[in-house]
């Protein structure tokens, strides 16, 4: 009797056991590392994705080196069209033998044409796509975004990895950060801008990616892109100059270059006649690396001379981006957000509804406290 009961228990248990009915084999998945979206015809979206080809990337068990068997690189770029990004992705899926998987996406590039029309839809799509990460880095392309996926950087096996590393060293702007800025009161988005480039001036292949400017938005539309000085001003404002260098002239055709290891930016608010005024206190410290005129900073007069030049350059760069943005009613730093957080009642009653018209006349004073703590070489004394 006991044997019969044991047998029945085992038989019932077999029916209660579950198997891996919904498993996904790794060989059945297309791991997307980068995506791009451009504006197509008749208000449609052109959605592109980049998928590495393991068999063409080298490694154990593979004869591949740095290029694919077709000679086009160790990755696949596929593109689809649709009324929204989901439809475009479904069209791509019909062309692939493996299931598209966005869980490993590192970069999402938005084309300039879409950025000018408004990025709210494509930004929201990042959050609604299955298994998509909100920590995906966000970039704006100069021209069509798909060109960035088709480039083949010499130092990386595919452009998605190069863009990811560049994003980490820039503003570190993710889709989550951009969406927060989009819906914050008194704060506008500013997103790194990327384009194709050659390694030299004579290199016309444009296989490399270059990130040297920023896209400044008014609400969700691209307003302008920054120049060289304004780009440096953006990095100072958001405390991203650490491990980067700043150069400034000290004599005719001679410059100094300082590598920054400390960058702090703190706003200070004063209410004058019911109007907000700000002072931005910027602290910068670094190491003198390039000393073209061969100055000896150990001399007090020479040191003060150099520091004044350095502070003047930083102030010029920060004032440049603020003046340009504020003239168009764009709050890149988030002075309005500061008022929203610390003077919420006054913000709602006095400044909120007319903030964009207030920005062109907003008084902002930039005060820079710079320091060079050591030098890579000795030099001569500069007489004041």
């Amino acid at each position: 009797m006991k044997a019969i009961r044991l047998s029945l228990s085992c038989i019932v248990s077999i029916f209660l056991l579950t198997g891996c009915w919904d498993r996904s084999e790794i060989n059945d998945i297309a791991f997307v590392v980068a995506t791009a979206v451009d504006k197509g015809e008749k208000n449609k979206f052109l959605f592109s994705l980049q998928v590495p080809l393991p068999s063409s990337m080298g490694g154990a068990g593979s004869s591949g080196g740095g290029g694919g068997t077709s000679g086009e690189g160790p990755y696949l770029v596929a593109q689809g069209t649709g009324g929204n990004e989901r439809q475009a992705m479904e069209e791509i899926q019909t062309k692939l033998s493996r299931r598209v998987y966005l869980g490993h996406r590192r970069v999402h590039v938005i084309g300039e044409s879409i950025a000018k029309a408004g990025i709210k839809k494509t930004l929201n799509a990042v959050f609604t796509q299955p298994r998509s990460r909100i920590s995906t880095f966000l970039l704006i392309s100069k021209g069509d975004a798909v060109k960035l996926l088709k480039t083949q950087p010499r130092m990386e096996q595919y452009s998605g990895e190069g863009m990811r590393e560049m994003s980490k060293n820039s503003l570190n702007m993710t889709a989550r950060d951009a969406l927060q800025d989009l819906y914050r009161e008194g704060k506008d988005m500013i997103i790194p801008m990327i384009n194709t480039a050659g390694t030299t001036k004579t290199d016309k292949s444009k296989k490399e990616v270059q990130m040297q400017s920023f896209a400044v938005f008014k609400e969700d539309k691209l307003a302008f892109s920054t120049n060289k000085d304004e780009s440096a001003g953006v990095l100072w404002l958001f405390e991203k100059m650490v491990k980067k260098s700043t150069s400034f002239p000290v004599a005719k055709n001679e410059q100094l270059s300082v590598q920054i290891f400390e960058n702090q930016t703190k706003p200070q608010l004063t209410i004058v006649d019911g109007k907000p005024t700000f002072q931005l206190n910027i602290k910068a410290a670094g190491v003198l690396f390039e000393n073209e005129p061969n100055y000896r900073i150990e001399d007090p007069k020479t040191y003060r001379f150099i520091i004044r030049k350095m502070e003047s350059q930083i102030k010029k760069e920060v004032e440049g981006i603020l003046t340009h943005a504020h003239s168009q009613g764009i709050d890149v730093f988030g002075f309005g957000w500061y008022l929203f957080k610390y003077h919420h009642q006054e913000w709602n009653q006095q400044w909120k509804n007319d903030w964009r018209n207030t920005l062109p006349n907003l008084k902002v004073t930039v005060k820079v406290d710079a320091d060079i703590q050591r030098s890579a070489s000795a030099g001569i004394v500069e007489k004041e």
Side-chain angles (χ1 to χ4, degrees):
M1 193 68 180
K2 290 183 179 180
I4 296 176
R5 289 179 180 178
L6 181 61
S7 300
L8 288 175
S9 299
C10 291
I11 294 173
V12 172
S13 299
I14 291 174
F15 288 104
L16 295 177
L17 293 175
T18 58
C20 299
W21 59 272
D22 63 341
R23 73 185 187 277
S24 296
E25 298 291 346
I26 192 170
N27 292 335
D28 297 330
I29 299 175
F31 293 96
V32 177
V33 295
T35 55
V37 59
D38 292 297
K39 191 175 183 180
E41 298 179 353
K42 298 180 181 180
N43 295 323
K44 288 191 175 183
F45 290 91
L46 294 175
F47 189 79
S48 309
L49 52 83
Q50 184 182 69
V51 179
L53 303 175
S55 61
S56 302
M57 295 180 68
S62 172
S63 60
T69 54
S70 63
E72 297 180 354
Y75 58 86
L76 165 72
V77 175
Q79 188 174 63
T81 306
N84 54 54
E85 292 186 30
R86 184 62 187 173
Q87 291 179 1
M89 191 185 301
E90 290 298 329
E91 181 177 314
I92 294 175
Q93 186 65 77
T94 63
K95 306 173 187 178
L96 301 179
S97 58
R98 300 189 180 191
R99 181 169 58 86
V100 173
Y101 181 77
L102 293 174
H104 288 272
R105 176 170 58 178
R106 299 168 178 176
V107 178
H108 182 54
V109 187
I110 300 175
E112 189 175 9
S113 56
I114 285 188
K116 290 180 178 179
I119 67 170
K120 185 180 292 185
K121 283 186 178 180
T122 186
L123 198 55
N124 286 329
V126 174
F127 290 80
T128 58
Q129 290 164 345
R131 300 185 184 276
S132 179
R133 293 184 178 183
I134 61 176
S135 59
T136 299
F137 290 112
L138 194 67
L139 299 171
I140 305 297
S141 71
K142 188 71 175 177
D144 293 337
V146 67
K147 293 190 302 183
L148 276 303
L149 301 190
K150 293 181 178 180
T151 57
Q152 178 58 71
R154 291 174 175 85
M155 296 193 69
E156 305 292 346
Q157 291 184 315
Y158 47 88
S159 59
E161 180 65 16
M163 290 187 286
R164 182 182 77 96
E165 292 298 326
M166 288 183 173
S167 298
K168 288 166 57 178
N169 294 325
S170 183
L171 283 185
N172 205 33
M173 176 63 65
T174 65
R176 175 186 55 200
D177 299 329
L179 193 69
Q180 287 176 339
D181 284 348
L182 178 61
Y183 290 103
R184 274 178 177 149
E185 296 187 23
K187 178 72 173 70
D188 287 298
M189 290 185 297
I190 183 163
I191 302 173
M193 204 163 195
I194 195 164
N195 60 280
T196 58
T199 52
T200 64
K201 288 186 177 181
T202 58
D203 184 5
K204 298 182 180 180
S205 62
K206 293 188 176 181
K207 292 183 177 181
E208 302 294 330
V209 293
Q210 183 179 38
M211 189 182 297
Q212 62 179 359
S213 61
F214 296 94
V216 179
F217 285 78
K218 188 173 185 178
E219 294 180 349
D220 74 325
K221 295 180 175 62
L222 175 63
F224 67 90
S225 58
T226 59
N227 58 33
K228 183 178 180 181
D229 284 347
E230 291 171 346
S231 298
V234 170
L235 296 174
W236 286 116
L237 283 175
F238 294 101
E239 301 180 340
K240 298 296 183 179
M241 277 298 292
V242 175
K243 295 184 180 180
K244 297 179 177 62
S245 296
T246 180
S247 299
F248 49 93
V250 291
K252 186 177 181 180
N253 299 325
E254 292 182 321
Q255 293 188 341
L256 296 181
S257 293
V258 177
Q259 186 177 38
I260 304 300
F261 60 74
E262 182 179 0
N263 173 204
Q264 296 179 3
T265 303
K266 294 183 179 180
Q268 183 178 341
L269 172 67
T270 304
I271 307 296
V272 180
D273 297 328
K275 297 180 180 180
T277 63
F278 285 90
Q279 176 174 295
L280 277 180
N281 300 303
I282 299 177
K283 185 176 181 180
V287 180
L288 180 61
F289 270 16
E290 190 68 31
N291 188 356
E292 291 183 3
N294 201 29
Y295 288 160
R296 187 165 62 88
I297 66 171
E298 289 79 4
D299 178 72
K301 290 184 178 180
T302 305
Y303 176 80
R304 289 195 296 268
F305 170 79
I306 293 173
I307 291 300
R308 285 200 301 270
K309 293 289 186 179
M310 181 177 173
E311 291 175 345
S312 177
Q313 179 68 21
I314 296 173
K315 183 177 180 180
K316 173 187 173 184
E317 293 168 348
V318 173
E319 288 179 342
I321 180 60
L322 291 178
T323 300
H324 190 175
H326 289 184
S327 67
Q328 298 188 31
I330 301 171
D331 195 343
V332 290
F333 181 70
F335 293 109
W337 177 244
Y338 183 91
L339 295 172
F340 174 85
K341 291 190 296 182
Y342 299 107
H343 297 269
H344 187 71
Q345 185 174 355
E346 293 90 336
W347 167 259
N348 285 329
Q349 295 177 353
Q350 302 177 36
W351 305 310
K352 176 181 177 179
N353 296 330
D354 200 41
W355 185 241
R356 293 201 181 276
N357 294 325
T358 302
L359 279 171
N361 299 315
L362 180 67
K363 185 178 179 181
V364 180
T365 304
V366 179
K367 183 181 179 182
V368 182
D369 179 16
D371 183 24
I372 299 177
Q373 296 191 0
R374 59 185 182 274
S375 173
S377 62
I380 62 176
V381 176
E382 169 66 15
K383 295 182 180 180
E384 292 186 295

